[in-house]
């Protein structure tokens, strides 16, 4: 199966797709472009909001309000008034670092990774922001903290550090927001790029965007084996999320960052959003 072009847009670092249920639309970010974008199915138009900060994550609050992970922390943002308010500071005093990928558990606790702007090894960390916006550091010496999802029973957290090319499994105590390393769950084979964003389907299988790998791959966390893949016709595949009325469409973001001029000409749709219909639905939270 090959993903189809959905939205042609030259995002330098398209990331963080989220299906926004209250608007029946897809949001994603351009981290380098410091903007968020919205695609409404059936409409040949994309809404764009400049944020003025490197923005890496979108979390739904209500129709007109959202939470954003931006360089320096977590903020609220109003789509109508464009008002931005700081809720929690995360390495705000370190201009060399920014937020990257993250996730949210069943009780609304937000997990956010940080990384150095030029991907310096071991310069990042993983934090949790609870519902009172108290920030706690949970992991140190990460390089490119990425895809983060929870098992359907909320007993496990699956997390990627792209530099390692691995997905790690942690036991998760949601009452105390405590994680303990269990094992390496997935390791991307040599020559297949690095794991980036990640999501889960209704069967509990993991879908992993492979940066430099031209694909999104499907893995069984029980066995650690790859069980499927969707080809994407550009190299830097950054993240994926299930969406649509029935959660049966897989939306895929991509990037132009670090491509040579020759590669940009060879793959002109890099930075665009793609879509596939994999025959399985997303996990309903």
């Amino acid at each position: 199966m090959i993903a189809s072009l959905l939205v042609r847009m030259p995002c330098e670092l398209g990331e963080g797709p989220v299906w926004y249920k209250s608007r029946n639309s897809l949001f994603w970010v351009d981290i380098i472009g410091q903007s968020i974008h919205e695609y409404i199915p059936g409409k040949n138009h994309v809404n764009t909001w400049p944020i003025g900060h490197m923005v890496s994550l979108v979390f739904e609050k209500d129709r007109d309000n959202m939470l954003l992970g931006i360089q320096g922390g977590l903020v609220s943002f109003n789509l109508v008034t464009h008002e931005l308010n700081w809720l929690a500071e995360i390495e705000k005093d370190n201009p060399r670092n920014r937020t990257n990928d993250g996730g949210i558990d069943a009780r609304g606790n937000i997990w956010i990774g940080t990384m150095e702007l030029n991907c310096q090894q071991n310069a990042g960390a993983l934090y949790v922001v609870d519902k009172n916006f108290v920030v706690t550091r949970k992991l140190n010496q990460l390089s490119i903290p990425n895809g983060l999802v929870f098992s359907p029973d909320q007993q496990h957290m699956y997390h990627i550090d792209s530099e390692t090319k691995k997905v790690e499994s942690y036991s998760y105590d949601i009452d105390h927001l405590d994680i303990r390393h269990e094992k390496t769950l997935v390791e991307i084979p040599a020559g297949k790029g690095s794991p980036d964003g990640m999501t889960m389907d209704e069967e509990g299988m993991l879908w992993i965007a492979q940066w430099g790998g031209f694909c999104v791959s499907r893995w069984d966390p029980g066995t650690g084996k790859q069980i499927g893949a969707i080809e994407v016709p550009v190299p830097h595949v950054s993240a994926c999320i299930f969406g649509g009325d029935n959660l049966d469409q897989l939306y895929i973001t991509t990037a132009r960052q670090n491509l040579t001029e020759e590669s940009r000409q060879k793959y002109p749709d890099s930075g665009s959003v793609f879509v596939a219909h994999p025959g399985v639905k997303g996990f309903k939270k």
Side-chain angles (χ1 to χ4, degrees), residues 3-4 6 199 207 216-217 230 239-244 247-252 273-278 280:
S4 302
L6 180 71
T199 193
W207 292 80
V216 175
S217 52
I230 294 174
C240 54
I241 196 73
F242 284 93
L247 294 182
D248 59 353
Q249 300 179 71
L250 187 68
Y251 295 107
I252 303 165
V273 178
F274 294 80
V275 66
H277 301 81
V280 64

mmCIF file with all atom_site columns, all heavy atoms in Angstrom, residues 3-4 6 199 207 216-217 230 239-244 247-252 273-278 280:
data_model
loop_
_atom_site.group_PDB
_atom_site.id
_atom_site.type_symbol
_atom_site.label_atom_id
_atom_site.label_alt_id
_atom_site.label_comp_id
_atom_site.label_asym_id
_atom_site.label_entity_id
_atom_site.label_seq_id
_atom_site.pdbx_PDB_ins_code
_atom_site.Cartn_x
_atom_site.Cartn_y
_atom_site.Cartn_z
_atom_site.occupancy
_atom_site.B_iso_or_equiv
_atom_site.pdbx_formal_charge
_atom_site.auth_seq_id
_atom_site.auth_comp_id
_atom_site.auth_asym_id
_atom_site.auth_atom_id
_atom_site.pdbx_PDB_model_num
ATOM 1   N N   . ALA A 1 3   ? 0.782   5.470  0.424  1.00 0.00 ? 3   ALA A N   1
ATOM 2   C CA  . ALA A 1 3   ? -0.013  6.605  0.883  1.00 0.00 ? 3   ALA A CA  1
ATOM 3   C C   . ALA A 1 3   ? -0.200  7.619  -0.240 1.00 0.00 ? 3   ALA A C   1
ATOM 4   O O   . ALA A 1 3   ? 0.665   7.786  -1.104 1.00 0.00 ? 3   ALA A O   1
ATOM 5   C CB  . ALA A 1 3   ? 0.667   7.262  2.070  1.00 0.00 ? 3   ALA A CB  1
ATOM 6   N N   . SER A 1 4   ? -1.359  8.293  -0.217 1.00 0.00 ? 4   SER A N   1
ATOM 7   C CA  . SER A 1 4   ? -1.683  9.291  -1.232 1.00 0.00 ? 4   SER A CA  1
ATOM 8   C C   . SER A 1 4   ? -1.463  10.696 -0.694 1.00 0.00 ? 4   SER A C   1
ATOM 9   O O   . SER A 1 4   ? -1.636  10.947 0.499  1.00 0.00 ? 4   SER A O   1
ATOM 10  C CB  . SER A 1 4   ? -3.151  9.147  -1.657 1.00 0.00 ? 4   SER A CB  1
ATOM 11  O OG  . SER A 1 4   ? -3.412  7.851  -2.153 1.00 0.00 ? 4   SER A OG  1
ATOM 12  N N   . LEU A 1 6   ? -2.355  14.217 0.371  1.00 0.00 ? 6   LEU A N   1
ATOM 13  C CA  . LEU A 1 6   ? -3.585  14.832 0.853  1.00 0.00 ? 6   LEU A CA  1
ATOM 14  C C   . LEU A 1 6   ? -3.503  16.351 0.790  1.00 0.00 ? 6   LEU A C   1
ATOM 15  O O   . LEU A 1 6   ? -4.389  17.002 0.229  1.00 0.00 ? 6   LEU A O   1
ATOM 16  C CB  . LEU A 1 6   ? -3.873  14.393 2.288  1.00 0.00 ? 6   LEU A CB  1
ATOM 17  C CG  . LEU A 1 6   ? -5.141  14.967 2.914  1.00 0.00 ? 6   LEU A CG  1
ATOM 18  C CD1 . LEU A 1 6   ? -6.376  14.356 2.268  1.00 0.00 ? 6   LEU A CD1 1
ATOM 19  C CD2 . LEU A 1 6   ? -5.155  14.742 4.425  1.00 0.00 ? 6   LEU A CD2 1
ATOM 20  N N   . THR A 1 199 ? 1.751   5.991  16.706 1.00 0.00 ? 199 THR A N   1
ATOM 21  C CA  . THR A 1 199 ? 0.372   5.954  17.177 1.00 0.00 ? 199 THR A CA  1
ATOM 22  C C   . THR A 1 199 ? -0.047  4.486  17.330 1.00 0.00 ? 199 THR A C   1
ATOM 23  O O   . THR A 1 199 ? 0.711   3.569  17.012 1.00 0.00 ? 199 THR A O   1
ATOM 24  C CB  . THR A 1 199 ? -0.572  6.718  16.226 1.00 0.00 ? 199 THR A CB  1
ATOM 25  O OG1 . THR A 1 199 ? -1.838  6.905  16.862 1.00 0.00 ? 199 THR A OG1 1
ATOM 26  C CG2 . THR A 1 199 ? -0.776  5.981  14.906 1.00 0.00 ? 199 THR A CG2 1
ATOM 27  N N   . TRP A 1 207 ? 2.013   1.903  15.138 1.00 0.00 ? 207 TRP A N   1
ATOM 28  C CA  . TRP A 1 207 ? 2.347   2.422  13.818 1.00 0.00 ? 207 TRP A CA  1
ATOM 29  C C   . TRP A 1 207 ? 3.454   3.449  14.004 1.00 0.00 ? 207 TRP A C   1
ATOM 30  O O   . TRP A 1 207 ? 3.276   4.426  14.731 1.00 0.00 ? 207 TRP A O   1
ATOM 31  C CB  . TRP A 1 207 ? 1.130   3.046  13.145 1.00 0.00 ? 207 TRP A CB  1
ATOM 32  C CG  . TRP A 1 207 ? 0.078   2.038  12.781 1.00 0.00 ? 207 TRP A CG  1
ATOM 33  C CD1 . TRP A 1 207 ? -0.851  1.475  13.612 1.00 0.00 ? 207 TRP A CD1 1
ATOM 34  C CD2 . TRP A 1 207 ? -0.144  1.464  11.493 1.00 0.00 ? 207 TRP A CD2 1
ATOM 35  N NE1 . TRP A 1 207 ? -1.645  0.587  12.936 1.00 0.00 ? 207 TRP A NE1 1
ATOM 36  C CE2 . TRP A 1 207 ? -1.234  0.556  11.617 1.00 0.00 ? 207 TRP A CE2 1
ATOM 37  C CE3 . TRP A 1 207 ? 0.456   1.616  10.252 1.00 0.00 ? 207 TRP A CE3 1
ATOM 38  C CZ2 . TRP A 1 207 ? -1.715  -0.177 10.551 1.00 0.00 ? 207 TRP A CZ2 1
ATOM 39  C CZ3 . TRP A 1 207 ? -0.028  0.877  9.174  1.00 0.00 ? 207 TRP A CZ3 1
ATOM 40  C CH2 . TRP A 1 207 ? -1.100  -0.001 9.324  1.00 0.00 ? 207 TRP A CH2 1
ATOM 41  N N   . VAL A 1 216 ? 5.587   4.196  6.912  1.00 0.00 ? 216 VAL A N   1
ATOM 42  C CA  . VAL A 1 216 ? 5.065   4.008  8.260  1.00 0.00 ? 216 VAL A CA  1
ATOM 43  C C   . VAL A 1 216 ? 4.919   2.502  8.445  1.00 0.00 ? 216 VAL A C   1
ATOM 44  O O   . VAL A 1 216 ? 4.303   1.836  7.609  1.00 0.00 ? 216 VAL A O   1
ATOM 45  C CB  . VAL A 1 216 ? 3.695   4.695  8.446  1.00 0.00 ? 216 VAL A CB  1
ATOM 46  C CG1 . VAL A 1 216 ? 3.128   4.366  9.820  1.00 0.00 ? 216 VAL A CG1 1
ATOM 47  C CG2 . VAL A 1 216 ? 3.811   6.201  8.260  1.00 0.00 ? 216 VAL A CG2 1
ATOM 48  N N   . SER A 1 217 ? 5.505   1.967  9.489  1.00 0.00 ? 217 SER A N   1
ATOM 49  C CA  . SER A 1 217 ? 5.483   0.523  9.700  1.00 0.00 ? 217 SER A CA  1
ATOM 50  C C   . SER A 1 217 ? 4.572   0.157  10.865 1.00 0.00 ? 217 SER A C   1
ATOM 51  O O   . SER A 1 217 ? 4.369   0.945  11.793 1.00 0.00 ? 217 SER A O   1
ATOM 52  C CB  . SER A 1 217 ? 6.899   -0.007 9.960  1.00 0.00 ? 217 SER A CB  1
ATOM 53  O OG  . SER A 1 217 ? 7.527   0.728  11.008 1.00 0.00 ? 217 SER A OG  1
ATOM 54  N N   . ILE A 1 230 ? 3.204   0.857  5.276  1.00 0.00 ? 230 ILE A N   1
ATOM 55  C CA  . ILE A 1 230 ? 2.629   1.709  4.237  1.00 0.00 ? 230 ILE A CA  1
ATOM 56  C C   . ILE A 1 230 ? 3.754   2.551  3.666  1.00 0.00 ? 230 ILE A C   1
ATOM 57  O O   . ILE A 1 230 ? 4.454   3.246  4.409  1.00 0.00 ? 230 ILE A O   1
ATOM 58  C CB  . ILE A 1 230 ? 1.518   2.611  4.805  1.00 0.00 ? 230 ILE A CB  1
ATOM 59  C CG1 . ILE A 1 230 ? 0.327   1.759  5.253  1.00 0.00 ? 230 ILE A CG1 1
ATOM 60  C CG2 . ILE A 1 230 ? 1.078   3.644  3.764  1.00 0.00 ? 230 ILE A CG2 1
ATOM 61  C CD1 . ILE A 1 230 ? -0.750  2.552  5.952  1.00 0.00 ? 230 ILE A CD1 1
ATOM 62  N N   . ALA A 1 239 ? 5.494   11.592 11.388 1.00 0.00 ? 239 ALA A N   1
ATOM 63  C CA  . ALA A 1 239 ? 4.493   11.214 12.392 1.00 0.00 ? 239 ALA A CA  1
ATOM 64  C C   . ALA A 1 239 ? 3.218   10.750 11.705 1.00 0.00 ? 239 ALA A C   1
ATOM 65  O O   . ALA A 1 239 ? 3.020   10.968 10.500 1.00 0.00 ? 239 ALA A O   1
ATOM 66  C CB  . ALA A 1 239 ? 4.188   12.386 13.327 1.00 0.00 ? 239 ALA A CB  1
ATOM 67  N N   . CYS A 1 240 ? 2.335   10.115 12.492 1.00 0.00 ? 240 CYS A N   1
ATOM 68  C CA  . CYS A 1 240 ? 1.086   9.608  11.930 1.00 0.00 ? 240 CYS A CA  1
ATOM 69  C C   . CYS A 1 240 ? 0.014   9.570  13.016 1.00 0.00 ? 240 CYS A C   1
ATOM 70  O O   . CYS A 1 240 ? 0.321   9.478  14.208 1.00 0.00 ? 240 CYS A O   1
ATOM 71  C CB  . CYS A 1 240 ? 1.284   8.213  11.339 1.00 0.00 ? 240 CYS A CB  1
ATOM 72  S SG  . CYS A 1 240 ? 2.003   7.010  12.489 1.00 0.00 ? 240 CYS A SG  1
ATOM 73  N N   . ILE A 1 241 ? -1.249  9.656  12.573 1.00 0.00 ? 241 ILE A N   1
ATOM 74  C CA  . ILE A 1 241 ? -2.384  9.588  13.500 1.00 0.00 ? 241 ILE A CA  1
ATOM 75  C C   . ILE A 1 241 ? -3.615  9.089  12.743 1.00 0.00 ? 241 ILE A C   1
ATOM 76  O O   . ILE A 1 241 ? -3.784  9.394  11.559 1.00 0.00 ? 241 ILE A O   1
ATOM 77  C CB  . ILE A 1 241 ? -2.683  10.974 14.136 1.00 0.00 ? 241 ILE A CB  1
ATOM 78  C CG1 . ILE A 1 241 ? -3.574  10.841 15.362 1.00 0.00 ? 241 ILE A CG1 1
ATOM 79  C CG2 . ILE A 1 241 ? -3.287  11.922 13.122 1.00 0.00 ? 241 ILE A CG2 1
ATOM 80  C CD1 . ILE A 1 241 ? -2.888  10.271 16.558 1.00 0.00 ? 241 ILE A CD1 1
ATOM 81  N N   . PHE A 1 242 ? -4.435  8.317  13.413 1.00 0.00 ? 242 PHE A N   1
ATOM 82  C CA  . PHE A 1 242 ? -5.703  7.903  12.814 1.00 0.00 ? 242 PHE A CA  1
ATOM 83  C C   . PHE A 1 242 ? -6.732  9.016  12.978 1.00 0.00 ? 242 PHE A C   1
ATOM 84  O O   . PHE A 1 242 ? -6.785  9.693  14.007 1.00 0.00 ? 242 PHE A O   1
ATOM 85  C CB  . PHE A 1 242 ? -6.214  6.626  13.474 1.00 0.00 ? 242 PHE A CB  1
ATOM 86  C CG  . PHE A 1 242 ? -5.497  5.393  13.044 1.00 0.00 ? 242 PHE A CG  1
ATOM 87  C CD1 . PHE A 1 242 ? -4.403  4.918  13.766 1.00 0.00 ? 242 PHE A CD1 1
ATOM 88  C CD2 . PHE A 1 242 ? -5.901  4.700  11.902 1.00 0.00 ? 242 PHE A CD2 1
ATOM 89  C CE1 . PHE A 1 242 ? -3.732  3.772  13.366 1.00 0.00 ? 242 PHE A CE1 1
ATOM 90  C CE2 . PHE A 1 242 ? -5.221  3.553  11.495 1.00 0.00 ? 242 PHE A CE2 1
ATOM 91  C CZ  . PHE A 1 242 ? -4.135  3.095  12.227 1.00 0.00 ? 242 PHE A CZ  1
ATOM 92  N N   . GLY A 1 243 ? -7.565  9.189  11.955 1.00 0.00 ? 243 GLY A N   1
ATOM 93  C CA  . GLY A 1 243 ? -8.587  10.218 12.015 1.00 0.00 ? 243 GLY A CA  1
ATOM 94  C C   . GLY A 1 243 ? -9.722  9.913  11.063 1.00 0.00 ? 243 GLY A C   1
ATOM 95  O O   . GLY A 1 243 ? -9.837  8.807  10.525 1.00 0.00 ? 243 GLY A O   1
ATOM 96  N N   . GLY A 1 244 ? -10.585 10.915 10.863 1.00 0.00 ? 244 GLY A N   1
ATOM 97  C CA  . GLY A 1 244 ? -11.794 10.718 10.087 1.00 0.00 ? 244 GLY A CA  1
ATOM 98  C C   . GLY A 1 244 ? -12.942 10.323 11.001 1.00 0.00 ? 244 GLY A C   1
ATOM 99  O O   . GLY A 1 244 ? -12.738 9.970  12.169 1.00 0.00 ? 244 GLY A O   1
ATOM 100 N N   . LEU A 1 247 ? -12.309 6.981  12.312 1.00 0.00 ? 247 LEU A N   1
ATOM 101 C CA  . LEU A 1 247 ? -10.909 6.728  12.688 1.00 0.00 ? 247 LEU A CA  1
ATOM 102 C C   . LEU A 1 247 ? -10.265 5.661  11.804 1.00 0.00 ? 247 LEU A C   1
ATOM 103 O O   . LEU A 1 247 ? -9.406  4.900  12.249 1.00 0.00 ? 247 LEU A O   1
ATOM 104 C CB  . LEU A 1 247 ? -10.795 6.312  14.161 1.00 0.00 ? 247 LEU A CB  1
ATOM 105 C CG  . LEU A 1 247 ? -11.170 7.356  15.216 1.00 0.00 ? 247 LEU A CG  1
ATOM 106 C CD1 . LEU A 1 247 ? -10.939 6.792  16.614 1.00 0.00 ? 247 LEU A CD1 1
ATOM 107 C CD2 . LEU A 1 247 ? -10.377 8.646  15.034 1.00 0.00 ? 247 LEU A CD2 1
ATOM 108 N N   . ASP A 1 248 ? -10.646 5.636  10.534 1.00 0.00 ? 248 ASP A N   1
ATOM 109 C CA  . ASP A 1 248 ? -10.146 4.605  9.640  1.00 0.00 ? 248 ASP A CA  1
ATOM 110 C C   . ASP A 1 248 ? -9.169  5.133  8.597  1.00 0.00 ? 248 ASP A C   1
ATOM 111 O O   . ASP A 1 248 ? -8.778  4.415  7.675  1.00 0.00 ? 248 ASP A O   1
ATOM 112 C CB  . ASP A 1 248 ? -11.300 3.890  8.949  1.00 0.00 ? 248 ASP A CB  1
ATOM 113 C CG  . ASP A 1 248 ? -12.181 4.837  8.133  1.00 0.00 ? 248 ASP A CG  1
ATOM 114 O OD1 . ASP A 1 248 ? -11.982 6.074  8.205  1.00 0.00 ? 248 ASP A OD1 1
ATOM 115 O OD2 . ASP A 1 248 ? -13.079 4.342  7.422  1.00 0.00 ? 248 ASP A OD2 1
ATOM 116 N N   . GLN A 1 249 ? -8.776  6.395  8.744  1.00 0.00 ? 249 GLN A N   1
ATOM 117 C CA  . GLN A 1 249 ? -7.785  6.976  7.853  1.00 0.00 ? 249 GLN A CA  1
ATOM 118 C C   . GLN A 1 249 ? -6.511  7.273  8.641  1.00 0.00 ? 249 GLN A C   1
ATOM 119 O O   . GLN A 1 249 ? -6.579  7.773  9.761  1.00 0.00 ? 249 GLN A O   1
ATOM 120 C CB  . GLN A 1 249 ? -8.312  8.268  7.220  1.00 0.00 ? 249 GLN A CB  1
ATOM 121 C CG  . GLN A 1 249 ? -9.573  8.058  6.403  1.00 0.00 ? 249 GLN A CG  1
ATOM 122 C CD  . GLN A 1 249 ? -10.093 9.350  5.818  1.00 0.00 ? 249 GLN A CD  1
ATOM 123 O OE1 . GLN A 1 249 ? -9.491  9.907  4.911  1.00 0.00 ? 249 GLN A OE1 1
ATOM 124 N NE2 . GLN A 1 249 ? -11.208 9.832  6.339  1.00 0.00 ? 249 GLN A NE2 1
ATOM 125 N N   . LEU A 1 250 ? -5.378  6.954  8.052  1.00 0.00 ? 250 LEU A N   1
ATOM 126 C CA  . LEU A 1 250 ? -4.097  7.229  8.698  1.00 0.00 ? 250 LEU A CA  1
ATOM 127 C C   . LEU A 1 250 ? -3.476  8.445  8.031  1.00 0.00 ? 250 LEU A C   1
ATOM 128 O O   . LEU A 1 250 ? -3.108  8.405  6.852  1.00 0.00 ? 250 LEU A O   1
ATOM 129 C CB  . LEU A 1 250 ? -3.157  6.018  8.573  1.00 0.00 ? 250 LEU A CB  1
ATOM 130 C CG  . LEU A 1 250 ? -1.855  6.140  9.357  1.00 0.00 ? 250 LEU A CG  1
ATOM 131 C CD1 . LEU A 1 250 ? -2.128  6.104  10.861 1.00 0.00 ? 250 LEU A CD1 1
ATOM 132 C CD2 . LEU A 1 250 ? -0.880  5.028  8.970  1.00 0.00 ? 250 LEU A CD2 1
ATOM 133 N N   . TYR A 1 251 ? -3.396  9.536  8.778  1.00 0.00 ? 251 TYR A N   1
ATOM 134 C CA  . TYR A 1 251 ? -2.789  10.770 8.291  1.00 0.00 ? 251 TYR A CA  1
ATOM 135 C C   . TYR A 1 251 ? -1.304  10.765 8.632  1.00 0.00 ? 251 TYR A C   1
ATOM 136 O O   . TYR A 1 251 ? -0.909  10.392 9.747  1.00 0.00 ? 251 TYR A O   1
ATOM 137 C CB  . TYR A 1 251 ? -3.472  11.980 8.913  1.00 0.00 ? 251 TYR A CB  1
ATOM 138 C CG  . TYR A 1 251 ? -4.923  12.144 8.518  1.00 0.00 ? 251 TYR A CG  1
ATOM 139 C CD1 . TYR A 1 251 ? -5.946  11.875 9.416  1.00 0.00 ? 251 TYR A CD1 1
ATOM 140 C CD2 . TYR A 1 251 ? -5.262  12.557 7.234  1.00 0.00 ? 251 TYR A CD2 1
ATOM 141 C CE1 . TYR A 1 251 ? -7.280  12.017 9.054  1.00 0.00 ? 251 TYR A CE1 1
ATOM 142 C CE2 . TYR A 1 251 ? -6.595  12.708 6.857  1.00 0.00 ? 251 TYR A CE2 1
ATOM 143 C CZ  . TYR A 1 251 ? -7.593  12.442 7.776  1.00 0.00 ? 251 TYR A CZ  1
ATOM 144 O OH  . TYR A 1 251 ? -8.916  12.581 7.409  1.00 0.00 ? 251 TYR A OH  1
ATOM 145 N N   . ILE A 1 252 ? -0.487  11.202 7.688  1.00 0.00 ? 252 ILE A N   1
ATOM 146 C CA  . ILE A 1 252 ? 0.969   11.083 7.813  1.00 0.00 ? 252 ILE A CA  1
ATOM 147 C C   . ILE A 1 252 ? 1.630   12.416 7.493  1.00 0.00 ? 252 ILE A C   1
ATOM 148 O O   . ILE A 1 252 ? 1.418   12.974 6.405  1.00 0.00 ? 252 ILE A O   1
ATOM 149 C CB  . ILE A 1 252 ? 1.494   10.002 6.844  1.00 0.00 ? 252 ILE A CB  1
ATOM 150 C CG1 . ILE A 1 252 ? 0.798   8.657  7.116  1.00 0.00 ? 252 ILE A CG1 1
ATOM 151 C CG2 . ILE A 1 252 ? 3.005   9.864  6.954  1.00 0.00 ? 252 ILE A CG2 1
ATOM 152 C CD1 . ILE A 1 252 ? 0.982   7.646  5.991  1.00 0.00 ? 252 ILE A CD1 1
ATOM 153 N N   . VAL A 1 273 ? 1.325   16.524 3.649  1.00 0.00 ? 273 VAL A N   1
ATOM 154 C CA  . VAL A 1 273 ? 0.589   15.542 4.440  1.00 0.00 ? 273 VAL A CA  1
ATOM 155 C C   . VAL A 1 273 ? 0.017   14.490 3.500  1.00 0.00 ? 273 VAL A C   1
ATOM 156 O O   . VAL A 1 273 ? -0.533  14.819 2.440  1.00 0.00 ? 273 VAL A O   1
ATOM 157 C CB  . VAL A 1 273 ? -0.552  16.211 5.242  1.00 0.00 ? 273 VAL A CB  1
ATOM 158 C CG1 . VAL A 1 273 ? -1.348  15.162 6.018  1.00 0.00 ? 273 VAL A CG1 1
ATOM 159 C CG2 . VAL A 1 273 ? 0.016   17.257 6.198  1.00 0.00 ? 273 VAL A CG2 1
ATOM 160 N N   . PHE A 1 274 ? 0.137   13.224 3.902  1.00 0.00 ? 274 PHE A N   1
ATOM 161 C CA  . PHE A 1 274 ? -0.346  12.106 3.105  1.00 0.00 ? 274 PHE A CA  1
ATOM 162 C C   . PHE A 1 274 ? -1.426  11.356 3.891  1.00 0.00 ? 274 PHE A C   1
ATOM 163 O O   . PHE A 1 274 ? -1.579  11.544 5.099  1.00 0.00 ? 274 PHE A O   1
ATOM 164 C CB  . PHE A 1 274 ? 0.812   11.163 2.757  1.00 0.00 ? 274 PHE A CB  1
ATOM 165 C CG  . PHE A 1 274 ? 1.838   11.783 1.850  1.00 0.00 ? 274 PHE A CG  1
ATOM 166 C CD1 . PHE A 1 274 ? 2.814   12.641 2.362  1.00 0.00 ? 274 PHE A CD1 1
ATOM 167 C CD2 . PHE A 1 274 ? 1.826   11.534 0.488  1.00 0.00 ? 274 PHE A CD2 1
ATOM 168 C CE1 . PHE A 1 274 ? 3.755   13.226 1.525  1.00 0.00 ? 274 PHE A CE1 1
ATOM 169 C CE2 . PHE A 1 274 ? 2.770   12.115 -0.352 1.00 0.00 ? 274 PHE A CE2 1
ATOM 170 C CZ  . PHE A 1 274 ? 3.732   12.971 0.166  1.00 0.00 ? 274 PHE A CZ  1
ATOM 171 N N   . VAL A 1 275 ? -2.158  10.495 3.190  1.00 0.00 ? 275 VAL A N   1
ATOM 172 C CA  . VAL A 1 275 ? -3.216  9.722  3.846  1.00 0.00 ? 275 VAL A CA  1
ATOM 173 C C   . VAL A 1 275 ? -3.251  8.319  3.269  1.00 0.00 ? 275 VAL A C   1
ATOM 174 O O   . VAL A 1 275 ? -2.937  8.108  2.090  1.00 0.00 ? 275 VAL A O   1
ATOM 175 C CB  . VAL A 1 275 ? -4.591  10.411 3.674  1.00 0.00 ? 275 VAL A CB  1
ATOM 176 C CG1 . VAL A 1 275 ? -5.026  10.429 2.208  1.00 0.00 ? 275 VAL A CG1 1
ATOM 177 C CG2 . VAL A 1 275 ? -5.639  9.756  4.561  1.00 0.00 ? 275 VAL A CG2 1
ATOM 178 N N   . ALA A 1 276 ? -3.598  7.358  4.119  1.00 0.00 ? 276 ALA A N   1
ATOM 179 C CA  . ALA A 1 276 ? -3.760  5.965  3.696  1.00 0.00 ? 276 ALA A CA  1
ATOM 180 C C   . ALA A 1 276 ? -4.961  5.375  4.414  1.00 0.00 ? 276 ALA A C   1
ATOM 181 O O   . ALA A 1 276 ? -5.400  5.870  5.447  1.00 0.00 ? 276 ALA A O   1
ATOM 182 C CB  . ALA A 1 276 ? -2.502  5.154  4.017  1.00 0.00 ? 276 ALA A CB  1
ATOM 183 N N   . HIS A 1 277 ? -5.493  4.298  3.848  1.00 0.00 ? 277 HIS A N   1
ATOM 184 C CA  . HIS A 1 277 ? -6.624  3.581  4.440  1.00 0.00 ? 277 HIS A CA  1
ATOM 185 C C   . HIS A 1 277 ? -6.153  2.159  4.731  1.00 0.00 ? 277 HIS A C   1
ATOM 186 O O   . HIS A 1 277 ? -6.300  1.253  3.901  1.00 0.00 ? 277 HIS A O   1
ATOM 187 C CB  . HIS A 1 277 ? -7.819  3.595  3.496  1.00 0.00 ? 277 HIS A CB  1
ATOM 188 C CG  . HIS A 1 277 ? -8.298  4.972  3.155  1.00 0.00 ? 277 HIS A CG  1
ATOM 189 N ND1 . HIS A 1 277 ? -7.689  5.752  2.189  1.00 0.00 ? 277 HIS A ND1 1
ATOM 190 C CD2 . HIS A 1 277 ? -9.299  5.715  3.675  1.00 0.00 ? 277 HIS A CD2 1
ATOM 191 C CE1 . HIS A 1 277 ? -8.313  6.924  2.128  1.00 0.00 ? 277 HIS A CE1 1
ATOM 192 N NE2 . HIS A 1 277 ? -9.290  6.933  3.017  1.00 0.00 ? 277 HIS A NE2 1
ATOM 193 N N   . PRO A 1 278 ? -5.596  1.944  5.922  1.00 0.00 ? 278 PRO A N   1
ATOM 194 C CA  . PRO A 1 278 ? -4.915  0.674  6.195  1.00 0.00 ? 278 PRO A CA  1
ATOM 195 C C   . PRO A 1 278 ? -5.798  -0.516 6.511  1.00 0.00 ? 278 PRO A C   1
ATOM 196 O O   . PRO A 1 278 ? -5.314  -1.627 6.680  1.00 0.00 ? 278 PRO A O   1
ATOM 197 C CB  . PRO A 1 278 ? -4.046  1.026  7.409  1.00 0.00 ? 278 PRO A CB  1
ATOM 198 C CG  . PRO A 1 278 ? -4.793  2.110  8.096  1.00 0.00 ? 278 PRO A CG  1
ATOM 199 C CD  . PRO A 1 278 ? -5.459  2.900  7.015  1.00 0.00 ? 278 PRO A CD  1
ATOM 200 N N   . VAL A 1 280 ? -7.668  -0.856 9.216  1.00 0.00 ? 280 VAL A N   1
ATOM 201 C CA  . VAL A 1 280 ? -7.830  -0.990 10.651 1.00 0.00 ? 280 VAL A CA  1
ATOM 202 C C   . VAL A 1 280 ? -8.092  0.417  11.189 1.00 0.00 ? 280 VAL A C   1
ATOM 203 O O   . VAL A 1 280 ? -7.648  1.404  10.603 1.00 0.00 ? 280 VAL A O   1
ATOM 204 C CB  . VAL A 1 280 ? -6.581  -1.618 11.304 1.00 0.00 ? 280 VAL A CB  1
ATOM 205 C CG1 . VAL A 1 280 ? -5.358  -0.715 11.143 1.00 0.00 ? 280 VAL A CG1 1
ATOM 206 C CG2 . VAL A 1 280 ? -6.809  -1.938 12.762 1.00 0.00 ? 280 VAL A CG2 1
#
